[in-house]
Amino acid sequence: MSALVTSAGDLRRLVVRDLRRELRLLDGLIVNTALPVIIMLLFVYVFGGAITTGSSGLSYIDFVVPAVLLMSGGYGAALSAVNISEDLTGGMIDRFRTLPISGWVVPAGHVVASVVRNVASSAIALLAAIVLGFRPEATLAGWALVLALVAGYVLAMSALAVVWGLLVKTTQAAGAFSFAVLFLPYVSDGIVPAETMPGVLRDFAYNQPATPIIETLRALLLDRPVGSSGAVAAAWLAGAVVVSVPVAALLFRRRTAA
C-alpha cells in the first residue's frame, strides 16, 4: 500500500510536469487552442455547403461535429508519441532513472496528461460548434457518456501513441503517428456518409473503430437511439487500452534497461 501511494504521488507530479511544459510552449498552446476552432470552421463553412448527409437527414454541422471532436482530441493524443520520444532521446529518462520512482509511472504520466489536455481541446471544439449553430439535445446522462467516450478515445490514442513512440528511434518517426490518427475520421461515417463511398472504402469505413465511436457520439449529442454502435465502440476502446498498456510498459523497460 505504501508503494502504491508513493507511485500515485509520483504519477501526479509527472502529470503536472507534462501539463506545465505544454503551458510554457506558447506555439504548442496556440495550436492546441486554435486547431479545434479552425477545423470546425473549415468543415462547416468550406465543405459544409457542398456535402449532403445522406439518409441521416441531418444538417451538416450536426453530422460532422462528432468527427471533429475526435479529430481535435486525437491529434493532440497522437503527440504523446513525440513527447515520450523526446524524453528518451533528450536525456530526461536518464535523470528519471536516478530517482526512486517506478518505471511505469513515466509513460503513464504522459498518457494521463494527454487525456486532461485533449479532453479540454475537444471541449473547445464543441464550444466552437455551438457558436456556429450546433444545438446538442443530450440529456444529463448523455453528456456524461459523451465525456466518458471522448476521454476513452483520447486514452486509447494516447496509450497507442506511447507504444509507437517507444518503438521508433527518432522524434520525426514518432510524429508520423498523428497522420494515422487524423486519417481514421476521414475514412469513416464522420466527414461524409460512408454509404456514398465506393465499395472497398465503404467496407473499410463501416468496419474501422472511428465509425462506431462517431455514430455513438452523434446519437448521444442529438439524443437519438445509440443502437449497437455503443457496445462496438466500447469494445474497440477497451481492446486498444488493454493491449497497449502492458506493451508500453514492456517496451519502456526494454528501452531504459542498463
Side-chain angles (χ1 to χ4, degrees), residues 21-112:
R21 182 175 63 175
E22 293 296 325
L23 291 174
R24 290 170 181 169
L25 296 174
L26 182 59
D27 53 347
L29 184 61
I30 292 173
V31 169
N32 288 338
T33 304
L35 184 64
V37 179
I38 293 172
I39 292 175
M40 188 65 66
L41 290 170
L42 177 68
F43 281 106
V44 173
Y45 286 129
V46 178
F47 300 144
I51 299 176
T52 61
T53 59
S55 59
S56 70
L58 297 172
S59 64
Y60 188 65
I61 190 170
D62 291 341
F63 183 85
V64 80
V65 163
V68 176
L69 294 183
L70 290 196
M71 293 172 71
S72 300
Y75 175 77
L79 295 180
S80 298
V82 176
N83 292 338
I84 196 163
S85 179
E86 288 178 344
D87 280 352
L88 286 166
T89 58
M92 183 58 69
I93 296 299
D94 293 331
R95 297 183 182 183
F96 287 147
R97 289 175 65 188
T98 66
L99 301 174
I101 62 175
S102 300
W104 67 268
V105 172
V106 178
H110 283 288
V111 171
V112 175

Side-chain angles (χ1 to χ4, degrees), residues 69 126 138 141-152 216-218 220-221:
L69 294 183
L126 181 59
W143 280 116
L145 291 173
V146 167
L147 177 60
L149 192 57
V150 172
T216 303
L217 278 176
R218 189 180 290 139
L220 291 171
L221 287 169

